[in-house]
């Protein structure tokens, strides 16, 4: 009987240690180390967002940039920028754990993405951009808090991976069709709604991975995933606003 009580007491103690201070039930790693990793990732993400916002705002409020992007040379520059961003993303995947190249490539990738978003903003109006940015911030914070809350209660979102990949492929195909078939504002609205749903799902999925699965050395990969989720959600909401205008 005493042995049974001791076992029960140990179970309660273990449950209180892992369940009370842990981020999810049955957490075996040190919660303080995982929290330190999470804070590091969010610091990187917020730094990326700050750079992206600063560059985009500077491009939007510079008339010469808008004039240049309306020319053929501006289109060529955009194509080069897209190719460069793609190359940097691949290189960053190979060097995400090689210091200091991971930080160098992350910085270049962030600046490249910032210029791409800046180019997009030069073709848009100021009010939809502000609204899209505000809605994106609210949605990201809400989904992040929800994912932490759900993980604490034992929910797991790893099952979303195949659905999100399939949905992303459908979105890409739909985007290619829109390049050749004029769908008007209705097509843009549908595209934006699909994108917002998909990348909201990616925020939940990547946040769940941040809590449970990313190793401590994968802070660059984790930050890049969340950064791209936020950027794509912003662009999707911007499409919704323009499609509904």
């Amino acid at each position: 009987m005493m042995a049974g009580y001791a076992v029960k007491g140990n179970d309660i103690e273990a449950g209180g240690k892992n369940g009370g201070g842990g981020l999810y039930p049955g957490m075996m790693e040190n919660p303080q180390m995982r929290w330190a990793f999470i804070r590091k990732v969010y610091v990187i993400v917020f730094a990326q967002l700050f750079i992206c916002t600063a560059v985009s705002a500077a491009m939007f409020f510079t008339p010469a940039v808008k004039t240049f992007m309306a020319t053929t040379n501006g289109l060529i520059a955009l194509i080069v920028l897209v190719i460069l961003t793609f190359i940097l993303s691949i290189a960053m995947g190979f060097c995400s754990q090689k210091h200091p190249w991971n930080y160098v490539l992350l910085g270049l990738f962030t600046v490249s993405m910032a210029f791409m978003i800046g180019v997009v903003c030069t073709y848009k109006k100021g009010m939809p951009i502000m609204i899209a940015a505000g809605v994106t911030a609210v949605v990201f914070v809400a989904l992040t808090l929800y994912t932490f809350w759900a993980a604490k209660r034992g929910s797991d979102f790893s099952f979303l991976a195949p659905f999100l990949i399939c949905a992303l492929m459908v979105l890409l195909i739909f985007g290619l069709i829109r390049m050749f078939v004029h769908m008007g504002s209705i097509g843009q609205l549908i595209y934006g709604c699909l994108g917002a749903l998909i990348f909201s799902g990616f925020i939940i999925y990547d946040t769940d991975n941040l809590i449970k699965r990313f190793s401590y050395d994968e802070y660059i990969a984790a930050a890049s995933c969340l950064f791209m989720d936020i950027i794509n959600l912003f662009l999707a909401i911007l499409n919704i606003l323009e499609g509904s205008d």
Side-chain angles (χ1 to χ4, degrees):
M1 182 175 180
M2 291 296 294
Y5 176 79
V7 171
K8 184 177 179 180
N10 289 335
D11 289 342
I12 293 175
E13 183 179 355
K17 182 179 180 181
N18 293 331
L23 281 79
Y24 54 91
M27 185 177 184
M28 302 300 295
E29 60 183 312
N30 189 327
Q32 286 74 25
M33 294 183 64
R34 176 55 64 172
W35 274 117
F37 169 74
I38 292 173
R39 285 193 294 269
K40 184 175 184 178
V41 169
Y42 280 121
V43 167
I44 296 174
V45 172
F46 292 145
Q48 290 179 287
L49 292 175
F50 176 78
I51 293 173
C52 190
T53 302
V55 172
S56 300
M59 295 179 66
F60 180 80
F61 290 108
T62 304
V65 174
K66 293 185 177 182
T67 303
F68 175 74
M69 293 310 305
T71 64
T72 304
N73 290 332
L75 179 60
I76 295 174
L78 177 60
I79 295 174
V80 172
L81 193 60
V82 171
I83 296 174
L84 177 62
T85 305
F86 180 72
I87 294 174
L88 287 172
S89 65
I90 295 176
M92 192 169 56
F94 284 105
C95 303
S96 61
Q97 299 183 34
K98 296 180 180 179
H99 186 79
W101 290 108
N102 52 358
Y103 280 108
V104 172
L105 290 172
L106 178 66
L108 293 174
F109 173 77
T110 302
V111 172
S112 179
M113 280 299 304
F115 276 105
M116 285 187 61
I117 299 303
V119 170
V120 173
C121 291
T122 58
Y123 295 108
K124 311 296 182 181
K125 298 179 181 179
M127 186 56 67
I129 294 174
M130 295 297 294
I131 296 175
V135 173
T136 301
V138 171
V139 172
F140 173 72
V141 172
L143 292 178
T144 299
L145 293 176
Y146 165 74
T147 307
F148 274 88
W149 174 84
K152 184 74 173 179
R153 282 152 182 77
S155 298
D156 185 84
F157 298 100
S158 58
F159 70 92
L160 289 175
F163 298 101
L164 291 174
I165 293 174
C166 293
L168 185 60
M169 292 179 63
V170 171
L171 185 67
L172 291 174
I173 293 173
F174 186 63
L176 290 174
I177 293 175
R178 287 183 66 234
M179 294 177 61
F180 301 100
V181 179
H182 180 68
M183 297 182 180
S185 59
I186 298 298
Q188 186 175 11
L189 183 62
I190 294 174
Y191 184 76
C193 290
L194 287 175
L197 288 174
I198 293 170
F199 291 109
S200 294
F202 268 110
I203 289 175
I204 295 175
Y205 174 73
D206 288 328
T207 303
D208 192 58
N209 287 338
L210 177 66
I211 297 171
K212 303 173 184 176
R213 298 176 189 87
F214 278 115
S215 68
Y216 299 145
D217 294 330
E218 293 180 316
Y219 49 89
I220 296 296
S224 299
C225 288
L226 287 174
F227 174 67
M228 289 304 301
D229 294 341
I230 296 170
I231 292 299
N232 284 300
L233 177 61
F234 166 75
L235 294 176
I237 294 175
L238 196 57
N239 275 316
I240 294 174
L241 294 174
E242 289 201 325
S244 60
D245 188 0

